[in-house]
Amino acid sequence: MPPATMQAVARYFHVLSEPTRLAILNELRQGERNVGDLAHICGYTAANISRHLSLLAQQGMVSRESKGNSVYYRITDEAVYELCDVVCDNIVKHLQRQQESQTALLAEVSKHK
């Protein structure tokens, strides 16, 4: 993979590495929202949400549309959800394996008491 491509991939994942941006994307999964709605739902200021939306838009994950006095955002890169689903499924499997290991260890310790 050429260095420029690796840099682009790193920027894409960097945008997804922030919990607030993941919360925004999760809310946009339900449909388009304006900054005020997202700020209220996510519990942050409109300025903070706008900053995050700007980064998401720079990566082509969301787009914006003016409607009257409000600007609405929507997902433009549906692949982001496929990626998040793969990662979330992997994390769930990892946590389940950890839980199974801990349960087996506790059972072994209890057996030797």
Side-chain angles (χ1 to χ4, degrees):
M1 184 180 308
T5 303
M6 285 190 274
Q7 288 293 326
V9 170
R11 282 191 303 274
Y12 189 88
F13 280 106
H14 175 74
V15 168
L16 293 177
S17 72
E18 213 290 325
T20 303
R21 290 190 284 272
L22 292 175
I24 291 168
L25 290 170
N26 190 51
E27 286 305 319
L28 291 176
R29 198 172 208 168
Q30 311 308 314
E32 68 180 19
R33 305 243 194 245
N34 66 32
V35 173
D37 291 341
L38 289 168
H40 178 73
I41 292 166
C42 296
Y44 295 101
T45 65
N48 187 298
I49 295 297
S50 291
R51 184 175 55 82
H52 288 295
L53 285 165
S54 177
L55 290 170
L56 291 165
Q58 287 173 16
Q59 285 298 314
M61 294 177 190
V62 300
S63 63
R64 54 184 275 157
E65 180 182 351
S66 294
K67 293 183 180 180
N69 293 333
S70 295
V71 176
Y72 285 82
Y73 288 84
R74 75 173 63 76
I75 292 299
T76 54
D77 181 4
E78 292 286 335
V80 74
Y81 293 128
E82 295 171 33
L83 177 61
C84 287
D85 289 345
V86 167
V87 171
C88 288
D89 289 346
N90 191 43
I91 289 170
V92 167
K93 288 175 187 173
H94 176 73
L95 292 173
Q96 286 172 337
R97 286 190 300 269
Q98 278 185 326
Q99 181 68 35
E100 290 167 3
S101 294
Q102 289 174 352
T103 300
L105 179 63
L106 288 173
E108 190 64 31
V109 167
S110 293
K111 222 168 48 172
H112 294 348
K113 284 188 175 183

